Amino acid sequence: MAKTDETDRLSPLSLAFVGDSVYDMLVRSRLVKEAQRPVKELHSLAVKQVCAGAQAEAIKALLPSLTQEEAEIFKRGRNANPAGHPKNQSVGDYHYATGFECLLGWLWLKGETERVNSLFEIITEAENDR
């Protein structure tokens, strides 16, 4: 692991807090660019793609592409102890989603936007293959 900076010292849940917004912005941006849609439809599509179940699927598609350091950050987030989880999501999916968000937040705060975009492309391709 490279020199530790302030980002590496942040809690996994703080990183996930940022990563959640990053992923939401990426999904919303892609949806708007894809086609003209009513805002209500855009919102419904975004909600389906940013829920814990969809994020768990996203990280599973990414795992083979992660560096060792990225995988470690994902695991830190996955193993974090959030206060609870949504009733409509499994505990396993919620932990995977937290790890995914943690990874995105960590990359974003480190200024690794190209890597974030590269991982998002992998997710998009995996969604299109389903």
Side-chain angles (χ1 to χ4, degrees), residues 82-129:
H85 73 281
K87 293 178 183 175
N88 60 343
Q89 302 293 324
S90 76
V91 174
D93 281 354
Y94 192 67
H95 282 280
Y96 264 70
T98 302
F100 171 66
E101 292 171 347
C102 178
L103 172 63
L104 290 183
W106 180 78
L107 288 167
W108 187 263
L109 291 173
K110 288 181 99 42
E112 299 288 337
T113 54
E114 284 185 36
R115 182 61 174 157
V116 170
N117 288 325
S118 172
L119 294 176
F120 189 67
E121 285 179 30
I122 294 169
I123 294 166
T124 301
E125 289 173 16
E127 287 173 353
N128 291 338
D129 290 344

Side-chain angles (χ1 to χ4, degrees), residues 34-73:
E34 283 178 351
Q36 277 288 81
R37 296 180 171 110
V39 173
K40 186 175 181 178
E41 184 180 339
L42 288 168
H43 177 73
S44 294
L45 290 168
V47 167
K48 289 177 187 174
Q49 294 178 35
V50 298
C51 72
Q55 289 182 358
E57 289 299 314
I59 190 63
K60 289 173 187 174
L62 290 179
L63 286 173
S65 303
L66 298 181
T67 66
Q68 182 178 348
E69 187 176 25
E70 290 167 347
E72 289 171 9
I73 295 297

Side-chain angles (χ1 to χ4, degrees), residues 70-83:
E70 290 167 347
E72 289 171 9
I73 295 297
F74 159 70
K75 289 175 188 174
R76 272 183 58 204
R78 183 195 62 196
N79 295 336
N81 256 337

